Amino acid sequence: MAASPVWSVDPRTGKPREQVAVEATAEEVDRAVRAAHDVRAALADRTVRAALLRTAAELLDEAVRHVVEAADAETALGPTRLTGELARTTAQLRAFADVVDEGSFLDIRIDHEDGTKTPPWPDLRRYKIPLGVVAVYAASNFPLAFSVPGGDTASALAAGCPVVVKAHPDHPATSELCASVLRRAAAQVGLPEDVVILVHGFDAGVELVRHPLVAAAGFTGSVRGGRALFDAAAARPAPIPFYGELGSLNPVVITAAAAEERAEQIGAGLAGSLTLGTGQFCTKPGFVLAPAGAAGDRVVKSLTEAVSETDPGVMLDHRMRDAFVEGVRERAGLPDTEAPVTPGAGGEHTVSAGFLTVPAQVLTSEGPHDLLLEECFGPVTVVARYEDPAEIGAVLSRLPGNLTATLQLSTEELAGNGGTGADLLAELTPLAGRVLVNGWPTGVAVAPAQHHGGPYPATTSTSTSVGATAVERWLRPVTYQSTPEALLPVELRDANPQGLPRRVDDRRE
């Protein structure tokens, strides 16, 4: 049986561009994983790992024109957006190189023998070691920052784990190009190229998560696809951690005082956030609680004007376009639901942005309107109008887990007057991994304090896929007890020539 071809498709026309690969068979996935597994020791040197990450960033920067052209041809995201995404991607690689150099991710702890303790302490020395081969599943909506050279790959390499990436079918040519750059970077710093390997195909993705030598997996995509892989990871004879980002509604709460104070600004900001990238950001605000009455009407009027000025856009592929069109049709057909700006098909290959409104009261209990509390991928949001502030809590209590939750407050509420801001912040905190005040969630800074994750179904773990602590997903702790100095890893010996951060006898060095 001939291998299935992998085609690069132009989302602007729906037509194939070129065949770039063939789908990997089970035997080829096995060879890929074993090849990656065989080169684990090569990544043991932290200096070389940091050099790999910085060299990969340099080579991607040098290839910016080719990478952006390839990605735009397959995603229609546009050169401006993709140039920015590539800059984010290379900055992320360099940031993880800095993490490797600094060394605190090793979490070194040394407790010397102490017979005065009850019970007595033996000599104990703990740090973190890489898990092994990591399977990375590329995202559709970020062909660079959350795909082959993205955060999962960068953090896994930083941890010392080889990576096998399953390319996303929406940008296979871009994936091939980026994988070749990463493999060239490995060769330039003296590492085997197989520290990064690329495979294609749905079946290959399933085989990958089931492979006995794969030690962990990172995924960004749909709830349905991510949950299937999560279940497969858990069903293995030896289950592995599966770090999946699956779906998020990203609720926004607008207080009556905030609407009264700056309705027009809020409406315009919301429009910009929900239409950014044709609504294909995982942090798109897909659900909004806004007050009924005159101030809320001003928010809706501003949102209507701003969204109406948005040109139709191309989604990542026609399957997603069709799902968006059907999804908004179902939602718009619900009782008491109105569409001040009707979202849907903007043309044969495009979609138009819009939003729906509904009384918040219909969402306070289970019913057909629960569909409005599910993510609809694309440029649409739902504005639920509340008559009584008590409805805010009633609706929030019914929401699933999210990546983000946003609170729009007035100047007085920001100062803590009246307790409204603090109370709402407390209600939003259990719902999301990142809580914003007077901002918009589209945009995830690559910073040490960042957390890009949240309660299920936003993610399948409590970890982050963005920021310095993303590296922790690919490590496990190990403690050596009463082990002679000469046998210990160099990081755990009493001398500390590398100047690594560590705690010794419960004191930070």
Side-chain angles (χ1 to χ4, degrees):
M1 181 177 175
S4 299
V6 175
W7 290 89
S8 173
V9 177
D10 183 351
R12 294 179 173 94
T13 64
K15 296 180 179 179
R17 296 176 58 248
E18 60 177 338
Q19 181 182 339
V20 298
V22 294
E23 295 186 356
T25 63
E27 292 76 14
E28 288 167 335
V29 171
D30 178 62
R31 285 199 295 271
V33 174
R34 292 184 183 281
H37 184 263
D38 287 344
V39 300
R40 290 170 299 150
L43 287 170
D45 189 322
R46 290 188 303 112
T47 303
V48 177
R49 298 207 304 265
L52 166 62
L53 294 166
R54 292 193 176 98
T55 302
E58 291 169 7
L59 294 181
L60 284 167
D61 282 338
E62 291 173 4
V64 58
R65 183 172 64 85
H66 299 297
V67 173
V68 169
E69 284 179 357
D72 182 50
E74 294 186 305
T75 66
L77 290 173
T80 301
R81 148 72 193 274
L82 290 166
T83 300
E85 186 181 332
L86 182 60
R88 170 199 175 91
T89 303
T90 57
Q92 190 164 240
L93 287 162
R94 293 184 174 98
F96 279 115
D98 293 341
V99 167
V100 173
D101 283 340
E102 192 266 342
S104 62
F105 73 99
L106 294 170
D107 194 22
I108 299 171
R109 297 167 184 265
I110 297 174
D111 292 320
H112 289 101
E113 182 178 1
D114 188 346
T116 68
K117 299 288 187 181
T118 305
W121 286 6
D123 187 274
L124 298 168
R125 302 176 186 232
R126 178 187 190 272
Y127 77 156
K128 292 183 177 179
I129 62 173
L131 289 176
V133 178
V134 169
V136 170
Y137 294 80
S140 63
N141 56 341
F142 281 85
L144 306 173
F146 285 84
S147 291
V148 174
D152 285 350
T153 297
S155 58
L157 292 173
C161 297
V163 175
V164 179
V165 184
K166 205 289 284 185
H168 196 280
D170 279 352
H171 39 80
T174 307
S175 298
E176 285 284 344
L177 175 56
C178 290
S180 70
V181 170
L182 294 182
R183 288 170 65 84
R184 184 154 50 94
Q188 285 194 16
V189 301
L191 285 169
E193 291 186 349
D194 285 345
V195 295
V196 177
I197 301 177
L198 183 70
V199 297
H200 297 265
F202 175 86
D203 290 342
V206 176
E207 292 291 337
L208 190 56
V209 80
R210 291 174 175 169
H211 197 287
L213 294 181
V214 167
F219 171 91
T220 302
S222 68
V223 173
R224 181 180 178 184
R227 184 54 194 255
L229 291 171
F230 174 80
D231 290 345
R236 292 166 39 129
I240 59 171
F242 181 88
Y243 298 103
E245 179 192 320
L246 310 187
S248 186
L249 198 59
N250 304 305
V252 177
V253 176
I254 305 168
T255 67
E260 185 69 40
E261 183 177 271
R262 50 192 180 87
E264 289 71 27
Q265 179 185 342
I266 292 172
L270 175 58
S273 189
L274 81 91
T275 60
L276 187 65
T278 320
Q280 298 173 114
F281 277 52
C282 51
T283 51
K284 179 203 74 176
F287 182 77
V288 183
L289 280 159
D297 290 345
R298 286 168 47 215
V299 173
V300 172
K301 181 175 183 292
S302 174
L303 178 61
T304 299
E305 292 171 351
V307 172
S308 296
E309 294 174 0
T310 304
D311 293 330
V314 177
M315 294 192 71
L316 294 161
D317 62 38
H318 281 59
R319 177 185 56 82
M320 291 183 190
R321 176 190 175 277
D322 294 344
F324 171 75
V325 172
E326 177 61 21
V328 296
R329 186 195 65 78
E330 286 185 75
R331 288 162 172 79
L334 292 170
D336 301 313
T337 303
E338 298 179 357
V341 182
T342 303
E348 185 180 358
H349 305 292
T350 60
V351 297
S352 58
F355 68 99
L356 308 174
T357 63
V358 67
Q361 180 61 39
V362 304
L363 297 169
T364 59
S365 59
E366 187 175 347
H369 290 88
D370 286 359
L371 181 61
L372 301 177
L373 304 181
E374 298 177 11
E375 180 185 16
C376 185
F377 192 70
V380 65
T381 196
V382 174
V383 180
R385 308 288 300 274
Y386 61 88
E387 298 279 353
D388 185 324
E391 294 174 11
I392 297 175
V395 175
L396 291 179
S397 69
R398 304 194 62 242
L399 295 187
N402 293 271
L403 294 170
T404 73
T406 300
L407 188 55
Q408 297 291 336
L409 298 176
S410 69
T411 302
E412 282 292 302
E413 289 167 331
L414 287 173
N417 296 332
T420 300
D423 291 344
L424 286 172
L425 201 65
E427 286 192 78
L428 288 175
T429 297
L431 292 177
R434 179 164 57 106
V435 183
L436 300 86
V437 177
N438 286 12
W440 298 105
T442 37
V444 185
V446 182
Q450 184 59 269
H451 187 83
H452 189 63
Y456 186 85
T459 55
T460 59
S461 75
T462 59
S463 301
T464 179
S465 60
V466 178
T469 55
V471 71
E472 296 173 0
R473 297 174 295 168
W474 321 119
L475 299 162
R476 71 172 180 88
V478 60
T479 293
Y480 294 91
Q481 179 172 327
S482 304
T483 303
E485 178 97 355
L487 301 183
L488 285 168
V490 65
E491 294 89 350
L492 295 180
R493 296 177 185 177
D494 285 332
N496 187 15
Q498 299 175 0
L500 291 169
R502 58 187 193 172
R503 293 191 70 88
V504 178
D505 297 328
D506 208 28
R507 293 190 299 272
R508 187 174 297 280
E509 284 194 346

